[in-house]
Amino acid sequence: MLKNTTTSPSLLLRIPTMDCSVEEGEIRRALEPIAGIALLDFQLSARTLKINGSPQALLDSADAIAAAGFKSEQLGKSASEAADASADADGLHDDHTHDADSSSDKQMIRLGAALLLAIAAESLSFFAPDTTPWKAAGMAIAAVAIFLAGFDIYKKGFSALIKGKLNINALMTVAITGAFVIGQWPEAAMVMALYAIAELIEAKAVDRARNAIKGLMALAPDTALVRQPDGAWSSQPVTDVLLGQSVRVKPGERMPLDGTITTGNSAVNQAPVTGESIPVDKAPGDQVFAGTINETAELEFTVTALASNSTIARIICAVEQAQSTRAPTQRFVDKFASIYTPTIFILAILVAVLPPLLLDWTWLQAVYKALVLLVIACPCALILSTPVTVVSGLAAGARRGILIKGGTYLESARLLKAVALDKTGTITEGKPQLVHWQALNGADETSVKRFAASLAKRSDHPVSKAIAAGLDVTTDDEKADKVQDFTALVGRGTQGTIAGQTMVLGNHRLIEERKQCSQELEATLKEQEQLGRTVTLLANERGVLALFAVADTIRTTSLAAITKLKNMGVTPVMLTGDNAATAQAVAKEAGIDDARGNLLPEEKLAVIKDMQVKYGATGMTGDGINDAPALAQADVGFAMGGAGTDTAIEAADVVIMNDDLGRIAEVIDLSERTYSVLWQNITLALGIKAVFFVWAVFGDATMWMAVFADMGASLLVVANGLRLLRFRGQSVR
């Protein structure tokens, strides 16, 4: 599902104050001059940065990050250490979360004290006599409030100004320093205290979005009951469990690791991984995932993936990687903000200089209004409007068993006009099943059923297996109808002697070779084949005794899923390597009007290209290696994660963990909602700023009002973006 590549040597750093793309951009710019850096891998959700490069480049990088005003914690040095640290990122994140909770409480107390001092400074300014001692006392209190609230902001702001970079911290530093210099010290203190408190609240809200998917990791137990070499069972940490070891899980417990069931039958609640609300029956040979819940009976399974590589761990890792990619709207906003901030700074300078020269404003009045503009202009809300929304959308999808590999695909899925659907394993179950059988020429149904089952159970051919499973003959009947002289007839079927009779269980071709076909039988065979079924016939020396029709049945969810897509204005097209008759029969049953059969992988690729010309944005859904080229060509590729091959999953942009086609409509619905919220947030952020901008220039807006406008807008867009976490996929347009 996820490829991890490392280049030696590497350095993994955790940067606690790296909250959004602004800080990421500052760190990138700080590292640009350093020669020898091969790769920068930012993970904003975990606040980590992995750097690949020469040893000297790694040393210089740590120094450059510190010089830019960012504290960092080293998690790994070499490539192997970095990989180990990355694999354990969730545990590290949890540890830091506990530390952060304590630190956050202390920070809130400190900021509360700063706010009380700022209020005291405001009170002195308003009520105290306008004399030097009182002014000095008020300025001293304001200075302490500013120190408590924003020393880190000041450090970053001055660092940015020295380097000629106009970011949020630079704007706030200029505005607050200017206010203090012109005698507006109470407002300077109030602005800094309110700004710092709002930043802390905002950071907590953003973390909620980024860490929404992290809760999945907590679902997997820390320990597992493992069989020891002497046969005894003992509990041990999941991190110590090796591949191939046997694990036992009691009813009501969660699976500690991924594995294949060896003993037991039970219902398993797979909602944490696949989003399925109904428990799935599991038997020996079936796969189980870490974090899922064993409902009814004890199970034993063989471990197939280490704790750091479980399905849940890979989902979380993939979502984190997806969070680091930029959606189109996010790239637009980041570019806009890079132009917007210096433009506002220049505009503030013009407001400070021109009105005293051209109008009847005083210099103090003009400078104050310019400082208010700087506070209003901080692009926090604008920059936060996109990543919080995108991350919430990615997390909402993951909770539904939909792994979207980046904001680009989350945002572009809404544009799909057509979706190509592979037949086998996507629309259908991918497993042949006996769907019809009948005795012919007056043969006894009970006898031919037993004879056919006895022959079918001796063969490993998928069609024979389907017949044996469908007939479900008892063990006593098998003993009574023991097969002797069993022979496999390559490309035709099987032959054996049962109860003294030589019998064959084979295809149409074998019966024709035996000259046992009649016009009536040919008509029956044609009728079955037109339904897309594979027909097998049971015959003895005297004639054909029975007909068995096997087909790859469509999934129970396929018809409803196709109907949803049509209701959304998306045209479904079925692609398959099977013959045209089978393709048409399955398509008709699934409600698809356009079906293409006899397609090789390169021909599926050509069909996708044609659909892109005919319909526009086109999706592709598949699960096999032969679907990979078409998945890669499509505007959005959907892979079936449950039954899908690794190649198909790697090539796809969206992985559907429970193989439910209905999730495609959910992705499109989620994409539309995400896009709508993105532009709601952008409109909110710019609209609120525009109103206060006019009020600041032509009215009496104060600096602390400007802070409420700026940070209020930021909190609004964060809260609006978080609404996507409640997505449950019910509504379809």
Side-chain angles (χ1 to χ4, degrees):
M1 186 180 298
L2 181 66
K3 293 180 180 177
N4 292 316
T5 57
T6 57
T7 303
S8 181
S10 301
L11 177 67
L12 186 65
L13 299 173
R14 184 176 185 275
I15 306 172
T17 56
M18 184 175 68
D19 292 322
C20 66
S21 59
V22 174
E23 286 86 1
E24 178 185 331
E26 290 180 26
I27 294 170
R28 283 187 184 277
R29 287 189 290 272
L31 298 177
E32 277 176 2
I34 300 174
I37 294 179
L39 173 70
L40 296 176
D41 183 11
F42 288 86
Q43 297 292 339
L44 291 178
S45 60
R47 294 188 174 93
T48 61
L49 166 61
K50 187 170 78 170
I51 307 171
N52 290 352
S54 66
Q56 186 58 49
L58 300 185
L59 289 173
D60 294 342
S61 296
D63 293 338
I65 291 171
F70 293 92
K71 294 179 181 178
S72 63
E73 305 164 18
Q74 187 170 301
L75 302 180
K77 298 178 183 177
S78 66
S80 60
E81 287 175 343
D84 291 341
S86 182
D88 295 334
D90 292 289
L92 286 165
H93 180 79
D94 290 341
D95 292 340
H96 284 293
T97 298
H98 295 311
D99 294 340
D101 288 340
S102 175
S103 175
S104 179
D105 291 340
K106 292 178 181 177
Q107 188 178 4
M108 187 57 79
I109 292 172
R110 177 169 56 81
L111 294 180
L115 182 59
L116 290 175
L117 288 172
I119 292 171
E122 279 277 18
S123 300
L124 277 175
S125 174
F126 189 78
F127 295 110
D130 190 16
T131 59
T132 301
W134 288 106
K135 281 187 177 181
M139 290 183 69
I141 293 172
V144 174
I146 291 171
F147 177 81
L148 287 175
F151 188 68
D152 288 339
I153 295 171
Y154 256 105
K155 276 182 61 179
K156 289 183 186 178
F158 279 121
S159 175
L161 288 170
I162 290 170
K163 295 174 183 177
K165 295 169 183 173
L166 299 177
N167 59 20
I168 296 168
N169 294 317
L171 291 182
M172 290 302 298
T173 299
V174 170
I176 293 166
T177 303
F180 204 85
V181 168
I182 66 173
Q184 299 294 329
W185 36 269
E187 288 205 39
M190 184 65 75
V191 165
M192 184 60 87
L194 290 173
Y195 178 78
I197 290 171
E199 284 272 286
L200 181 61
I201 295 171
E202 178 186 289
K204 285 182 172 290
V206 171
D207 279 343
R208 182 187 166 197
R210 288 194 179 131
N211 298 325
I213 194 63
K214 292 282 186 182
L216 289 180
M217 184 55 75
L219 296 177
D222 295 328
T223 60
L225 191 62
V226 183
R227 188 197 300 272
Q228 303 304 312
D230 62 0
W233 295 88
S234 68
S235 179
Q236 64 186 71
V238 292
T239 52
D240 296 340
V241 181
L242 304 176
L243 295 177
Q245 287 192 283
S246 293
V247 172
R248 177 182 288 172
V249 183
K250 297 177 181 178
E253 294 181 343
R254 292 183 183 271
M255 305 294 175
L257 296 153
D258 286 5
T260 301
I261 295 175
T262 55
T263 305
N265 294 268
S266 182
V268 176
N269 182 348
Q270 299 191 136
V273 174
T274 67
E276 296 166 287
S277 57
I278 299 174
V280 178
D281 291 332
K282 297 284 185 176
D286 289 338
Q287 185 79 10
V288 292
F289 306 113
T292 57
I293 305 166
N294 181 21
E295 297 276 2
T296 56
E298 187 173 87
L299 292 175
E300 293 180 19
F301 65 84
T302 300
V303 176
T304 57
L306 299 177
S308 61
N309 197 40
S310 68
T311 301
I312 278 187
R314 295 202 311 273
I315 287 174
I316 293 171
C317 186
V319 172
E320 287 180 344
Q321 287 193 340
Q323 290 174 4
S324 66
T325 63
R326 294 282 187 273
T329 303
Q330 189 171 353
R331 290 195 295 269
F332 161 76
V333 167
D334 289 346
K335 186 175 181 180
F336 178 81
S338 68
I339 300 169
Y340 166 86
T341 304
T343 300
I344 291 296
F345 198 88
I346 293 169
L347 187 59
I349 292 174
L350 293 176
V351 169
V353 174
L354 294 182
L357 298 177
L358 303 177
L359 303 173
D360 59 350
W361 291 15
T362 65
W363 285 100
L364 191 63
Q365 183 183 17
V367 169
Y368 180 77
K369 287 186 178 290
L371 295 176
V372 173
L373 286 181
L374 287 181
V375 177
I376 292 173
C378 286
C380 292
L382 185 62
I383 292 170
L384 284 169
S385 63
T386 50
V388 171
T389 303
V390 170
V391 169
S392 295
L394 293 172
R399 288 175 169 181
R400 297 283 298 160
I402 303 167
L403 178 57
I404 304 171
K405 294 185 179 179
T408 297
Y409 312 115
L410 174 62
E411 192 173 326
S412 59
R414 69 186 177 84
L415 301 174
L416 292 178
K417 301 300 180 185
V419 175
L421 306 165
D422 176 54
K423 179 184 77 72
T424 307
T426 301
I427 295 175
T428 66
E429 294 285 356
K431 301 173 185 176
Q433 294 183 8
L434 181 65
V435 294
H436 173 76
W437 76 275
Q438 65 185 84
L440 301 173
N441 301 320
D444 178 65
E445 288 190 358
T446 303
S447 298
V448 297
K449 177 181 177 181
R450 296 203 318 266
F451 296 156
S454 297
L455 282 171
K457 287 191 176 183
R458 296 291 300 273
S459 173
D460 290 330
H461 193 280
V463 172
S464 293
K465 287 183 176 181
I467 293 172
L471 293 175
D472 191 26
V473 173
T474 65
T475 303
D476 290 340
D477 287 331
E478 288 182 50
K479 290 179 179 178
D481 298 316
K482 185 176 180 181
V483 179
Q484 297 177 330
D485 302 324
F486 178 83
T487 304
L489 306 174
V490 180
R492 292 169 177 80
T494 60
Q495 178 178 301
T497 301
I498 305 176
Q501 301 181 66
T502 299
M503 295 193 179
V504 296
L505 183 67
N507 57 22
H508 188 180
R509 178 181 177 184
L510 176 61
I511 300 303
E512 283 187 332
E513 290 175 354
R514 290 167 61 91
K515 301 187 185 305
Q516 292 181 315
C517 272
S518 64
Q519 289 185 350
E520 183 181 356
L521 179 60
E522 290 286 357
T524 302
L525 290 174
K526 185 176 181 181
E527 179 184 334
Q528 292 296 322
E529 288 169 354
Q530 285 178 339
L531 293 173
R533 297 171 177 175
T534 299
V535 179
T536 301
L537 300 160
L538 177 71
N540 60 15
E541 295 297 335
R542 293 187 297 276
V544 177
L545 303 176
L547 171 152
F548 303 89
V550 169
D552 183 8
T553 57
I554 73 166
R555 296 181 184 275
T556 55
T557 57
S558 291
L559 181 58
I562 300 302
T563 302
K564 284 183 181 179
L565 288 174
K566 287 182 174 180
N567 291 341
M568 300 176 85
V570 178
T571 302
V573 177
M574 192 180 80
L575 310 182
T576 180
D578 282 349
N579 62 71
T582 299
Q584 292 298 331
V586 173
K588 183 178 180 182
E589 189 177 358
I592 299 174
D593 301 321
D594 187 354
R596 322 279 180 92
N598 297 310
L599 296 177
L600 297 173
E602 59 269 24
E603 291 172 327
K604 287 185 178 182
L605 175 62
V607 171
I608 294 296
K609 291 180 179 179
D610 291 341
M611 289 174 64
Q612 287 171 325
V613 173
K614 180 178 179 181
Y615 297 106
T618 298
M620 169 67 193
T621 307
D623 70 329
I625 293 174
N626 62 332
D627 299 320
L631 286 168
Q633 172 63 33
D635 294 278
V636 181
F638 299 86
M640 295 292 142
T645 64
D646 289 341
T647 303
I649 290 170
E650 289 289 351
D653 308 310
V654 179
V655 180
I656 299 171
M657 297 304 298
N658 70 344
D659 294 349
D660 180 0
L661 274 183
R663 295 291 199 262
I664 298 176
E666 286 191 16
V667 172
I668 297 172
D669 186 23
L670 179 59
S671 175
E672 289 185 332
R673 293 191 189 198
T674 301
Y675 186 77
S676 174
V677 172
L678 280 171
W679 283 100
Q680 287 172 19
N681 283 347
I682 291 171
T683 303
L684 268 174
L686 293 179
I688 291 173
K689 288 184 182 297
V691 169
F692 274 84
F693 188 91
V694 174
W695 190 12
V697 175
F698 301 105
D700 296 319
T702 62
M703 288 187 72
W704 64 267
M705 290 179 185
V707 170
F708 273 120
D710 175 59
M711 301 315 296
S714 297
L715 296 175
L716 274 176
V717 299
V718 168
N720 195 37
L722 289 175
R723 288 192 304 117
L724 286 173
L725 291 174
R726 299 200 299 268
F727 176 79
R728 294 293 180 269
Q730 292 95 339
S731 70
V732 176
R733 66 179 175 188

